[in-house]
Amino acid sequence: MKYAIISDIHGNSHAFRAVLADAEKNGADAYLLLGDYASSFPWGNDVVNAMRELAATKRVTAIAGNGEGYFEGLRGQTDFSHEQFKPVYWSYLALSAENLDYLSTLPETAVVQDPDSNTKIHLNHDTPIFYRKNSPQIELFHPRNFRDLMRKKKFSHEEYLTQARDALLSRDDAMAEINALPDGVHLFGHNHLQFHTRFGENGNKLFINPGSCGEPLDFNPTASYTLLSLTANDAKNETAVEERRVQYDRRAAAEALAASEFTAYAPVWSNIMKKELETGIDHFGIFVRHIRETGLAMGVPENHSRPASPEVWNQAVKTWDTEKI
């Protein structure tokens, strides 16, 4: 069976519909969706509508991402004045009740057993094995650090796959957790960086991150997803993984973004998302870093709770150079 693995659409229905068309053209039998469907760009309703339409005619397994968790936390709120979180709140308000309810039913994880190979496919939105949030980070799996490394010395995607695998192999803590996982395919998204590798005897643990469909951050602005083919004869063949990049009309998407109500509501964030749409480079995370550094310069403790105060936010916006990346 051939699976289209898609993650981190973030409300970019222009990219999502292009990816669905590409997957259909390339013979996808089933679709595995890894979360974060409706925030950042203003077309979340269209994304969720497309998901529901797809599920009516195809095999679809969808799980929730952290973005869907934010929506659940906002239920019942009628006022949200913090500029820092306006993209999430606008996206929440823009979703129809039916689409909100649909997203609320999605599980956090799932396991699919491939009928041809009997391989188990484990779906997660993110995984601490790769992101190491509470221990020294593996820089190549964090988009802000990825951006910094690419700016120092640009590397190809093939070099990235090798470097990221080597970084994991150098970490006993990460490898111990990888070795403890069951055999099969392990899917994850969240960091917007396309990746795949194998570990274990005979390559019996396959890890796939399809990257971000709607908001890629690997210096390639084309929509990202991955095809996985599993067969009864050769489920572990390396050629079974095909990383795909799909061209779509990003100029039309940028024009629609500029004309949207989202831009009127959150113009700072809209400008940042436009830059990401054009470049495939992490402007969002770098701006968040700028907010933190602005607060530190103003005497705000580094461990202060988010969101930033209006004073810090206003100063960060005033001093932000959108062209410096």
Side-chain angles (χ1 to χ4, degrees):
M1 183 169 288
K2 181 178 285 189
Y3 300 88
I5 307 164
I6 307 170
S7 189
D8 294 278
I9 302 163
H10 283 280
N12 187 346
S13 62
H14 299 255
F16 185 43
R17 290 191 178 273
V19 161
L20 292 181
D22 189 80
E24 177 75 16
K25 179 181 177 181
N26 282 277
D29 304 301
Y31 295 76
L32 306 176
L33 310 180
L34 305 183
D36 279 12
Y37 305 109
S39 59
S40 296
F41 291 99
W43 311 293
N45 266 319
D46 189 44
V47 168
V48 182
N49 288 339
M51 291 170 61
R52 296 169 66 186
E53 293 164 7
L54 186 69
T57 59
K58 300 287 186 179
R59 297 187 184 191
V60 175
T61 302
I63 62 171
N66 57 296
E68 285 66 57
Y70 295 154
F71 292 152
E72 283 302 297
L74 287 171
R75 282 188 181 269
Q77 291 202 33
T78 58
D79 179 55
F80 201 81
S81 59
H82 297 297
E83 292 277 350
Q84 192 168 343
F85 294 150
K86 273 191 170 182
V88 175
Y89 190 55
W90 188 93
S91 299
Y92 164 74
L93 291 176
L95 283 169
S96 69
E98 294 80 6
N99 284 341
L100 271 173
D101 288 343
Y102 170 79
L103 293 177
S104 73
T105 67
L106 300 179
E108 293 185 358
T109 63
V111 179
V112 172
Q113 185 157 332
D114 177 65
D116 298 326
S117 65
N118 290 323
T119 301
K120 287 187 177 180
I121 306 172
H122 305 263
L123 284 68
N124 292 275
H125 179 65
D126 65 358
T127 170
I129 291 176
F130 294 87
Y131 304 145
R132 319 307 299 174
K133 295 176 182 177
N134 298 317
S135 63
Q137 293 182 353
I138 300 174
E139 290 184 322
L140 285 161
F141 291 105
H142 291 261
R144 274 171 283 182
N145 294 332
F146 179 96
R147 173 262 179 193
D148 292 342
L149 292 170
M150 279 285 277
R151 295 294 286 180
K152 289 179 183 176
K153 184 179 180 181
K154 194 167 185 179
F155 44 86
S156 69
H157 181 66
E158 290 71 23
E159 289 170 330
Y160 170 67
L161 295 179
T162 299
Q163 292 172 24
R165 177 182 171 82
D166 288 346
L168 287 165
L169 287 168
S170 72
R171 292 286 293 268
D172 291 341
D173 54 347
M175 290 307 303
E177 293 174 26
I178 287 172
N179 291 332
L181 290 173
D183 291 350
V185 180
H186 296 267
L187 309 181
F188 63 102
H190 185 59
N191 69 349
H192 299 214
L193 303 173
Q194 193 172 43
F195 172 78
H196 76 282
T197 193
R198 295 174 186 269
F199 288 110
E201 186 178 354
N202 298 319
N204 52 7
K205 294 182 176 71
L206 170 61
F207 297 88
I208 297 175
N209 183 333
S212 174
C213 169
E215 191 184 346
L217 299 178
D218 54 2
F219 284 59
N220 181 347
T222 57
S224 172
Y225 82 106
T226 297
L227 289 170
L228 169 68
S229 298
L230 296 174
T231 68
N233 294 327
D234 195 8
K236 299 182 178 66
N237 189 335
E238 184 71 35
T239 60
V241 178
E242 181 182 355
E243 294 183 334
R244 301 282 301 169
R245 304 304 289 242
V246 181
Q247 294 282 358
Y248 67 100
D249 193 342
R250 297 195 309 278
R251 176 177 293 181
E255 290 173 353
L257 173 63
S260 69
E261 293 181 6
F262 171 75
T263 293
Y265 183 76
V268 173
W269 289 120
S270 177
N271 186 54
I272 287 172
M273 299 317 300
K274 179 176 180 290
K275 291 291 184 182
E276 291 192 348
L277 189 70
E278 294 169 342
T279 65
I281 299 174
D282 180 20
H283 290 252
F284 186 99
I286 302 301
F287 180 58
V288 170
R289 178 191 289 173
H290 177 67
I291 295 172
R292 181 180 64 82
E293 292 172 347
T294 300
L296 290 172
M298 295 173 67
V300 177
E302 185 168 8
N303 61 351
H304 77 284
S305 61
R306 294 188 300 170
S309 68
E311 293 77 16
V312 171
W313 169 267
N314 290 334
Q315 181 64 14
V317 170
K318 181 180 178 180
T319 56
W320 174 244
D321 180 1
T322 59
E323 303 300 327
K324 69 179 180 181
I325 297 180

